[in-house]
Amino acid sequence: MGGDEVKLLGAWPSPYVLRARIALNIKSVDYEFLEEKFGSKSDLLLKSNPVHKKIPVLIHGDRPICESLIIVEYIDQVWPSGPSLLPSDPYDRAIARFWAAYADQWFSSAIVVLYEDDGEKAAAAVEEAKKGLSLFDEALVKCSKGQNFFGGDRMGYLDIALGSLLSWIKVIQILRNVSLIDESTTPNLFRWAPRFAADHAVKDVFPDIHKHLEFAKFLVARTKAQP
Amino acid sequence: MGGDEVKLLGAWPSPYVLRARIALNIKSVDYEFLEEKFGSKSDLLLKSNPVHKKIPVLIHGDRPICESLIIVEYIDQVWPSGPSLLPSDPYDRAIARFWAAYADQWFSSAIVVLYEDDGEKAAAAVEEAKKGLSLFDEALVKCSKGQNFFGGDRMGYLDIALGSLLSWIKVIQILRNVSLIDESTTPNLFRWAPRFAADHAVKDVFPDIHKHLEFAKFLVARTKAQP
């Protein structure tokens, strides 16, 4: 009955699915990636996450685990032999969790920039998004303690939580011709972002920008076509 | 600076503040409760939680920790000598975190019932709220493994996360004359709720129902008076 097999229900453009993939890669866990088709939900997904019916779902043996940040914490605890994802110090851990939760909140506001047609509203959403990113920029200085990642000398929980959004941030920047992360306003994030994308646990699962742009255009068109 | 002193910035009607108080009580941690005045924010709050400017904030020594569920996890890790709040098994832990996150989501929808004047919309909100509670009722059976609490034989993280909402649930039931938790639809929650409220870690900090009803009436009137 499933044993210790690991499966991940997901889809490549989902930043939340990306979190689970990166965490599994950091821990060198072999897993089967079961791609959900866009616009439909598999029986396995409906059975595994009956409350939210959303990806990602990690299935370990025959037990489903839902919600991306909870999955990352689960992976960290179940495979302790790999590099730790969460800081060991309780205060550092609370701070990482705080900013990870804020990353989710930030993204659900920032994605509005992609869809907003009203020029004034779009400009306001960009300003809000930039304000949030400058908070992350400061947080990076504090959390990294002068090293390369939020997690210090290597990628950790908060790197995964925020870094998983980078491809979408790039897509918004290109399609809406705005600057969100740049050298002048978020210098630390600006240096961190390419380090994140180039990390060995990330580079093979990070969305290709051309493919991602096409997907985003399709999504925006589809959303606007809906009544 | 501050040593190991524990302070909690809060207000008695906040279910999120209640979570921190219960967790501190379970761990027998002495703390100073700094009550925020309704409608204003102290300088200490603004300094301690500049991102959200919200209670609760736990201040341990001179370090602030924000967000109720993060505070509960912090308390669990920093005072390990008291009873554990989170399950030790990674899967049980993920499940507890899943339902705790759902409790927050559930409450932000359910509170609509208190304010909604449109009869049809109010009825729909009640139905949604009841559906959510029946999920918690099933979760209680699974998580408790036949014992008294979500945490098993004693209160744990998920008891705190959901139980903190019980006083507001009661207020909604009374003021809107609806039944949310009852013997027929949520028999397990129905038996669990008074156990929770009577627990020695809860009973002294659980809001008095008369005081809570007055506060809720004031809040509804104030919200409706706003343009």
Side-chain angles (χ1 to χ4, degrees):
Chain A
M1 283 294 287
D4 263 349
E5 272 175 16
V6 178
K7 292 175 183 164
L8 182 68
L9 305 186
W12 69 264
S14 162
Y16 308 111
V17 172
L18 190 56
R19 288 175 178 168
R21 302 192 83 173
I22 295 169
L24 290 165
N25 286 349
I26 291 176
K27 296 283 189 172
S28 304
V29 177
D30 283 329
Y31 67 98
E32 185 182 356
F33 188 59
L34 301 173
E35 184 108 18
E36 288 287 313
K37 279 193 195 115
F38 182 79
S40 74
K41 294 175 194 291
S42 71
D43 289 344
L44 186 57
L45 174 58
L46 296 174
K47 191 187 121 196
S48 305
N49 189 359
V51 175
H52 301 300
K53 305 175 180 68
K54 280 185 184 165
I55 50 172
V57 180
L58 184 79
I59 304 181
H60 188 197
D62 53 7
R63 305 201 290 187
I65 298 105
C66 307
E67 301 284 303
S68 65
L69 294 174
I70 294 174
I71 290 172
V72 173
E73 293 221 29
Y74 176 83
I75 290 168
D76 198 26
Q77 214 189 341
V78 169
W79 289 280
S81 61
S84 289
L85 303 178
L86 276 145
S88 56
D89 176 78
Y91 181 74
D92 292 343
R93 192 173 272 229
I95 295 300
R97 287 195 179 117
F98 174 86
W99 287 111
Y102 184 67
D104 280 4
Q105 192 186 322
W106 177 84
F107 186 61
S108 62
S109 298
I111 197 69
V112 167
V113 176
L114 194 61
Y115 295 89
E116 186 55 64
D117 278 333
D118 180 303
E120 220 166 288
K121 280 188 194 162
V126 169
E127 276 321 294
E128 268 307 297
K130 291 184 81 155
K131 250 189 235 170
L133 288 170
S134 68
L135 294 176
F136 281 115
D137 200 71
E138 287 168 33
L140 176 52
V141 175
K142 284 184 200 160
C143 293
S144 67
K145 292 160 187 165
Q147 301 194 74
N148 277 343
F149 295 103
F150 283 96
D153 60 351
R154 59 171 181 238
M155 298 235 302
Y157 177 76
L158 182 50
D159 294 280
I160 297 170
L162 185 63
S164 64
L165 310 177
L166 283 172
S167 182
W168 277 100
I169 292 174
K170 202 181 261 185
V171 162
I172 295 171
Q173 292 190 137
I174 295 172
L175 292 184
R176 301 309 305 249
N177 194 27
V178 294
S179 173
L180 296 174
I181 293 179
D182 56 48
E183 201 159 4
S184 63
T185 58
T186 52
N188 302 292
L189 288 184
F190 184 75
R191 289 191 291 274
W192 164 82
R195 271 201 296 267
F196 176 87
D199 190 276
H200 70 98
V202 177
K203 61 182 194 301
D204 294 339
V205 288
F206 200 72
D208 170 78
I209 186 65
H210 303 290
K211 195 174 159 195
H212 200 165
L213 283 168
E214 287 315 305
F215 177 76
K217 283 182 208 165
F218 157 77
L219 205 64
V220 171
R222 189 174 167 279
T223 306
K224 291 189 175 170
Q226 277 168 351
Chain B
M1 286 300 288
D4 264 349
E5 273 175 15
V6 177
K7 291 174 183 166
L8 182 68
L9 304 187
W12 68 265
S14 162
Y16 308 112
V17 171
L18 190 57
R19 289 175 177 168
R21 302 192 83 173
I22 295 168
L24 289 165
N25 285 350
I26 291 176
K27 296 284 190 172
S28 305
V29 177
D30 284 329
Y31 67 97
E32 186 182 355
F33 187 59
L34 301 174
E35 185 108 19
E36 288 287 312
K37 280 194 194 114
F38 182 79
S40 73
K41 293 175 195 289
S42 71
D43 289 342
L44 186 58
L45 173 58
L46 296 174
K47 190 186 120 196
S48 306
N49 189 359
V51 176
H52 301 300
K53 304 176 180 68
K54 280 184 183 164
I55 50 171
V57 180
L58 184 78
I59 304 180
H60 187 196
D62 53 7
R63 304 201 292 186
I65 298 105
C66 306
E67 301 284 303
S68 66
L69 293 174
I70 295 174
I71 291 172
V72 173
E73 292 221 31
Y74 177 84
I75 291 168
D76 199 24
Q77 215 188 340
V78 169
W79 289 280
S81 60
S84 288
L85 303 179
L86 277 144
S88 55
D89 177 77
Y91 182 73
D92 292 343
R93 193 174 272 231
I95 296 299
R97 285 194 179 118
F98 174 87
W99 288 112
Y102 185 66
D104 279 4
Q105 192 186 323
W106 177 84
F107 186 61
S108 61
S109 299
I111 197 71
V112 168
V113 176
L114 195 60
Y115 295 90
E116 187 55 67
D117 278 332
D118 179 302
E120 221 167 286
K121 282 188 194 162
V126 169
E127 275 322 294
E128 268 307 298
K130 291 184 83 156
K131 251 190 233 167
L133 288 169
S134 70
L135 294 176
F136 281 114
D137 199 71
E138 287 169 32
L140 175 54
V141 175
K142 285 184 198 158
C143 294
S144 68
K145 291 159 187 164
Q147 301 195 75
N148 277 344
F149 294 103
F150 283 96
D153 60 352
R154 60 170 181 240
M155 298 236 300
Y157 177 76
L158 182 50
D159 294 279
I160 296 172
L162 185 63
S164 64
L165 310 177
L166 284 172
S167 181
W168 277 100
I169 293 174
K170 201 180 264 186
V171 162
I172 295 171
Q173 292 191 136
I174 294 172
L175 291 184
R176 302 308 305 249
N177 194 25
V178 294
S179 173
L180 296 174
I181 294 179
D182 56 48
E183 200 158 7
S184 64
T185 58
T186 52
N188 301 292
L189 287 184
F190 184 76
R191 288 190 293 273
W192 163 81
R195 272 201 295 268
F196 175 86
D199 191 276
H200 70 98
V202 177
K203 62 181 194 301
D204 294 338
V205 287
F206 200 72
D208 170 78
I209 186 64
H210 303 290
K211 196 175 157 194
H212 201 166
L213 282 168
E214 287 315 304
F215 176 76
K217 283 184 209 165
F218 156 77
L219 206 64
V220 170
R222 189 173 165 278
T223 306
K224 291 189 176 169
Q226 277 167 352

